[in-house]
């Protein structure tokens, strides 16, 4: 019987073999994990190869355009500043043309003023103005006079005075206009009316008191 029991007992596994099996199981698990990571990397690589590349190209193109636009804006602004110094000369020529309009001698020189104006136009300088009813914009218009008006709202142009000049949105000379302050305040009149009513009320009260006495 003892011999049968010994035969039924399974022989104990060598510890080295057990350790080797555990190591193999760990390696298999690690290999599966690495395969999953590899699949993820391949999918990302495919995405970045197509969509990612296209996106980066679009970003670079957008940056190039914005940089080019900024550079253009700086050049235009610099040109506007340079040409701004010629505006007083142009105004002076216009003024002389009007002043000596009937002078035969001056007529031969009136073309000089028109040539100057046309030269400024060729460089991109354009006139602009405002009209009655436009909202006052201090970036483009200077208020040479502000008056009260019962018909025109506050901050609205009543009438234009002088034209302005600009170069591709860069204001070189502000236009001028008369601007409304809105209806004239009537606070003092209301206070006087209120005081008058108060005095009348006091007088009525005194007269009623005298009658009752």
């Amino acid at each position: 019987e003892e011999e049968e029991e010994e035969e039924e007992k399974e022989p104990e596994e060598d510890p080295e073999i057990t350790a080797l099996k555990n190591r193999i199981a760990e390696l298999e698990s690690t290999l599966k994990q690495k395969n999953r990571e590899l699949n993820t990397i391949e999918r990302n690589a495919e995405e970045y190869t197509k969509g990612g590349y296209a996106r980066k190209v679009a970003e670079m193109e957008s940056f190039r355009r914005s940089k080019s636009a900024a550079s253009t804006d700086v050049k235009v602004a610099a040109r506007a500043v340079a040409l701004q110094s010629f505006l007083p000369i142009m105004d002076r020529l216009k003024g002389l043309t009007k002043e000596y309009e009937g002078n035969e001698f001056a007529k031969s020189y009136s073309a000089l003023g028109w040539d100057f104006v046309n030269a400024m136009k060729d460089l991109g300088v354009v006139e602009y103005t405002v009209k009655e009813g436009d909202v006052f914009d201090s970036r483009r218009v200077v208020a040479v006079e502000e008056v009260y008006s019962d018909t025109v709202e506050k901050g609205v142009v009543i009438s234009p005075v002088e034209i302005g000049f600009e170069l591709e949105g860069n204001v070189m000379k502000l236009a001028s206009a008369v601007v409304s302050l809105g209806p004239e305040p009537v606070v003092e009149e209301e206070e006087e009316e209120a005081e008058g009513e108060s005095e009348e009320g006091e007088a009525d009260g005194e007269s009623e008191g005298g009658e009752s006495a």
Side-chain angles (χ1 to χ4, degrees):
E1 293 179 358
E2 291 179 359
E3 292 178 357
E4 290 178 358
E5 289 179 359
E6 290 178 357
E7 290 178 358
E8 290 177 357
K9 289 181 179 180
E10 294 181 357
E12 294 182 0
E13 190 175 55
D14 190 337
E16 292 184 359
I17 295 176
T18 302
L20 182 58
K21 288 181 177 179
N22 292 337
R23 181 57 180 165
I24 291 172
E26 291 176 2
L27 290 173
E28 288 178 346
S29 176
T30 302
L31 180 61
K32 290 179 181 179
Q33 178 64 27
K34 293 298 181 183
N35 284 332
R36 287 194 292 269
E37 292 177 0
L38 179 61
N39 291 334
T40 301
I41 292 172
E42 288 177 348
R43 287 195 300 270
N44 290 340
E46 179 68 16
E47 179 182 350
Y48 289 129
T49 299
K50 294 180 180 179
Y53 175 76
R55 185 166 57 253
K56 288 298 180 185
V57 169
E59 289 176 358
M60 291 179 66
E61 180 64 17
S62 176
F63 174 76
R64 185 188 67 78
R65 288 179 180 176
S66 61
K67 184 178 180 182
S68 177
S71 177
T72 302
D73 290 343
V74 170
K75 291 179 181 178
V76 172
R79 191 162 80 247
V81 171
L83 293 175
Q84 192 173 23
S85 60
F86 292 97
L87 292 179
I89 300 174
M90 186 169 67
D91 290 341
R92 179 60 176 161
L93 289 172
K94 285 183 177 180
L96 289 173
T97 300
K98 290 181 180 179
E99 184 178 351
Y100 297 100
E101 188 175 1
N103 190 307
E104 293 296 328
F105 178 77
K107 283 183 179 180
S108 59
Y109 295 97
S110 62
L112 179 61
W114 291 110
D115 290 342
F116 196 93
V117 171
N118 291 330
M120 294 289 278
K121 288 181 178 179
D122 291 340
L123 291 170
V125 178
V126 296
E127 299 177 350
Y128 75 90
T129 186
V130 291
K131 62 181 184 297
E132 181 182 351
D134 286 348
V135 176
F136 173 69
D137 184 354
S138 60
R139 296 170 300 178
R140 297 176 61 80
V141 184
V142 59
V144 293
E145 186 180 3
E146 292 181 304
V147 298
Y148 292 109
S149 173
D150 293 330
T151 57
V152 181
E153 294 181 5
K154 181 179 180 181
V156 174
V157 173
I158 294 177
S159 61
V161 175
E162 194 173 0
I163 60 173
F165 293 91
E166 64 179 348
L167 175 63
E168 296 185 23
N170 294 272
V171 176
M172 301 165 63
K173 179 184 177 182
L174 294 170
S176 59
V178 178
V179 181
S180 173
L181 290 172
E184 190 170 1
V186 291
V187 177
E188 294 181 359
E189 294 180 3
E190 291 178 353
E191 289 178 352
E192 290 176 357
E193 289 179 0
E195 289 177 0
E197 291 176 357
S198 176
E199 291 175 356
E200 290 178 1
E202 291 176 359
D204 292 341
E206 290 176 358
S207 62
E208 289 177 0
E211 291 175 359
S212 60

